[in-house]
Amino acid sequence: MSAPERIPPRSVTTAGTEAADLLAHGELTVRGRIRDASNAALFCRVALDGREADCVYKPVAGERPLWDFPDGTLAGREVAAYEVSEATGWGLVPPTVLRDGPYGEGMVQLWIEASADTELLALVDGEEPGPGWKAIGFAEVGEGRTALLVHADDERLRRLAVLDAVINNADRKGGHLLPTAEGRLYGIDHGVTFNVEDKLRTLLWGWAGEPLTPEAVEVLQRLRDALGGELAARLAGLITPAETDATRARVDALLAAGRHPEPGGEWPAIPWPPV
């Protein structure tokens, strides 16, 4: 008997439809639990017709209630973030589906093996970031000392900052950034997104107030059109019509301003813990 064909992370973009089909229709086998997740997150193997891949399964039944998000909606928001990411063409979110599993309906997402060789965040002495870095803010590092928290001045992160502004990501932590050995970057953990109220909390403030790149403007224009048709249909059932309308309004606001958003004063700008 031949060994099953493994679906590697690289196929997220080269064979995204194939990966999504595997995730949606394959047999899920739970291998373990991801202990540091705030909600129930299970490490699984999914197999179908001789293909298999590692994945994460987050059952709705394992979601912890939140005061500012309706119960039982986080899995749908994760899938909605994937749909919007796909509509941008940037492929920043791994293939993600909503399906039934061993513990009921939940989100299933392709597992991405992160590379430890890429440094995206750092703490540095001084008041200004060095070349190739963007300042986030000052952080206490113990014994009354502070250091400047910085992130890489990386075009992949900049794209993710735009996506986060569109989906209103309330929890972009450093641990949610997954660079791969192939040079790609993925963002994960999008359960607290798409709120109709402004809740953007992120570590990616380095471009705050700066003009959007021409590429970002073009992508946002396409996204605005998609939110008036095909993408809106795919989001139906994942988020509410009001949340889809709010997403469209955020895209319009970004295009009107032509700049990356800046932190507001009514909501903490940086998630805690930041990493």
Side-chain angles (χ1 to χ4, degrees):
M1 180 181 297
S2 61
E5 178 189 358
R6 297 297 300 277
I7 303 295
R10 182 66 176 174
S11 67
V12 171
T13 54
T14 60
T17 301
E18 178 186 3
D21 179 70
L22 173 62
L23 294 172
H25 304 293
E27 180 179 359
L28 277 177
T29 302
V30 176
R31 296 298 183 91
R33 182 170 183 175
I34 301 172
R35 295 290 182 180
D36 57 354
S38 56
N39 296 288
L42 304 174
F43 178 72
C44 299
R45 178 71 54 79
V46 61
L48 177 69
D49 297 334
R51 296 173 293 145
E52 65 175 23
D54 294 330
C55 60
V56 177
Y57 163 48
K58 297 182 182 179
V60 172
E63 294 179 4
R64 295 167 56 185
L66 298 172
W67 67 270
D68 52 349
F69 285 84
D71 293 351
T73 67
L74 305 191
R77 296 173 193 280
E78 295 239 35
V79 181
Y82 166 67
E83 293 289 354
V84 174
S85 169
E86 287 298 283
T88 67
W90 285 333
L92 294 169
V93 179
T96 313
V97 302
L98 191 66
R99 59 162 288 179
D100 194 37
Y103 299 101
E105 185 179 60
M107 179 280 284
V108 178
Q109 184 175 84
L110 189 68
W111 178 268
I112 299 298
E113 198 66 46
S115 170
D117 296 333
T118 303
E119 189 175 26
L120 298 175
L121 299 168
L123 285 167
V124 299
D125 292 326
E127 297 186 355
E128 296 293 336
W133 295 92
K134 306 289 283 189
I136 303 169
F138 290 96
E140 294 185 6
V141 293
E143 299 180 354
R145 293 180 57 247
T146 61
L148 184 63
L149 181 61
V150 298
H151 66 66
D153 187 2
D154 186 310
E155 188 60 37
R156 300 170 301 172
L157 287 181
R158 191 166 190 172
R159 291 171 175 172
L160 193 58
V162 173
L163 177 66
D164 282 344
V166 169
I167 67 177
N168 199 15
N169 192 350
D171 195 32
R172 176 60 72 205
K173 297 176 180 176
H176 300 167
L177 305 173
L178 302 182
T180 72
E182 296 80 15
R184 297 191 59 84
L185 174 71
Y186 299 101
I188 60 169
D189 286 345
H190 296 108
V192 286
T193 50
F194 295 101
N195 202 298
V196 296
E197 299 180 6
D198 182 15
K199 292 184 179 292
L200 183 60
R201 290 197 305 175
T202 176
L203 287 177
L204 305 180
W205 287 117
W207 298 280
E210 292 187 15
L212 295 168
T213 65
E215 178 198 40
V217 171
E218 181 180 347
V219 165
L220 289 169
Q221 289 170 340
R222 293 201 309 267
L223 195 57
R224 179 173 57 188
D225 293 340
L227 282 165
E230 183 181 351
L231 179 56
R234 293 202 300 272
L235 295 178
L238 300 172
I239 58 177
T240 68
E243 289 166 340
T244 299
D245 289 343
T247 302
R248 189 179 300 109
R250 287 191 294 271
V251 172
D252 288 341
L254 285 167
L255 285 170
R259 295 180 178 275
H260 287 268
E262 298 182 75
E266 298 181 1
W267 183 255
I270 296 177
W272 187 263
V275 177

